[in-house]
Amino acid sequence: QVQLVESGGGQVQPGGSLRLSCVASETVFSRSTMGWYRQTPGNEREMVATIANNGATNYAGGVQGRFTIDRENAKNTVYLQMNSLKPEDTAVYYCCAEYEFAWVHQNYWGQGTKVTVSS
């Protein structure tokens, strides 16, 4: 069973920072574009940032310049550094492994970690 284990969520004041981490199994991590998504009640899950195996990154417009995604291949870990947090960043954040190998294309999800930005 594929597991993605997230950590690092919590409550922070506006303007503050948090760093999320997600550890995956080596087999999945090495063959996946890794990403962070977020979801608020009543809304669809939305992409925040992704990072491919070659290091290419993609960000949602609203987080560009404030959030940074990075992957540490030796530790099978992807990070999301979130700076200058705003109340509208409040959401449950999910780690995703977009796995591709041969004919297999499968998305694996973590359990989610809650981020609350509030004074």
Side-chain angles (χ1 to χ4, degrees):
Q1 185 176 356
V2 176
Q3 280 192 315
L4 303 178
V5 180
E6 300 141 336
S7 60
Q11 183 165 349
V12 65
Q13 292 187 344
S17 298
L18 282 174
R19 189 191 196 204
L20 307 183
S21 300
C22 172
V23 182
S25 65
E26 180 181 2
T27 300
V28 169
F29 189 86
S30 64
R31 294 168 176 165
S32 297
T33 290
M34 300 300 296
W36 289 96
Y37 291 71
R38 65 187 180 187
Q39 189 170 22
T40 54
N43 294 310
E44 293 186 356
R45 197 169 295 186
E46 63 177 6
M47 187 275 291
V48 176
T50 63
I51 183 166
N53 264 315
N54 63 6
T57 59
N58 185 37
Y59 294 93
V63 307
Q64 185 83 41
R66 298 189 297 122
F67 291 11
T68 302
I69 189 170
D70 193 15
R71 62 191 293 161
E72 188 170 0
N73 292 335
K75 294 186 177 181
N76 304 320
T77 302
V78 62
Y79 305 98
L80 184 67
Q81 178 66 44
M82 304 185 293
N83 298 329
S84 303
L85 282 161
K86 304 176 181 180
E88 51 263 42
D89 295 318
T90 296
V92 178
Y93 284 70
Y94 296 90
C95 176
C96 178
E98 300 168 16
Y99 178 87
E100 292 190 25
F101 183 68
W103 60 90
V104 178
H105 299 258
Q106 179 71 46
N107 286 352
Y108 299 102
W109 296 92
Q111 78 284 358
T113 185
K114 188 170 185 179
V115 171
T116 302
V117 184
S118 173
S119 56

